[in-house]
Amino acid sequence: GESVGLHLPTLSVQEGDNSIINCAYSNSASDYFIWYKQESGKGPQFIIDIRSNMDKRQGQRVTVLLNKTVKHLSLQIAATQPGDSAVYFCAENGGTYKYIFGTGTRLKVLA
Amino acid sequence: DAGVIQSPRHEVTEMGQEVTLRCKPISGHNSLFWYRQTMMRGLELLIYFNNNVPIDDSGMPEDRFSAKMPNASFSTLKIQPSEPRDSAVYFCASSLGGRGEKLFFGSGTQLSVL
């Protein structure tokens, strides 16, 4: 699986507000999903994961929602902070070693 | 846990030179992946190792690319000879099982071939 990152959609959020980043996944057989955060010049950082037997999972300030009916994944970040500014992308996996990565969304936090 | 460790962080070389990228996976992980990231193509899987054995190298662009995993704690990706179009960020990632498991990435090697 490949993702194209030529023009990333950008989400601008005021500091302190909640952020919602969306991902439409491609394979209906995918049963495991990961959200990554990638800051400039750094590697993708694991944020949170969810398996298909769940539709919601919460972490520290983050929540992932999974809607298998429409093949949609979202990442909610509560009380967005300047340090949350990064590119966020999802990854899907259907039980093999191949992960399909989403195109990514750039989150900009406005002071 | 030190995470996945890659070296060097940056590599600048001239066309035709040999480049070797290094990776130390997370201890206990038996699956290792090499990815390449570019603006145009995003993350591309180059090669996947399981228990030190190359399972899928179909993503390796050309014979100029080769990868080895001599033991569970070390892998190399070599490009010989390097070309300007090889310029990209190369990531190593590891996971516990390789299938539907948490995948952790290293900090990457930014390669520039002049």
Side-chain angles (χ1 to χ4, degrees), chain A residues 15-29:
Chain A
E15 181 179 355
D17 287 353
N18 297 334
S19 303
I20 299 176
I21 300 170
N22 298 303
C23 175
Y25 63 93
S26 58
N27 186 357
S28 56

Side-chain angles (χ1 to χ4, degrees), chain B residues 36 46 57-65 85-86 90:
Chain B
R36 177 171 67 179
L46 300 177
D57 65 354
S58 60
M60 298 285 263
E62 301 166 31
D63 291 345
R64 299 184 296 107
F65 285 68
R85 61 192 166 122
D86 301 331
Y90 290 80

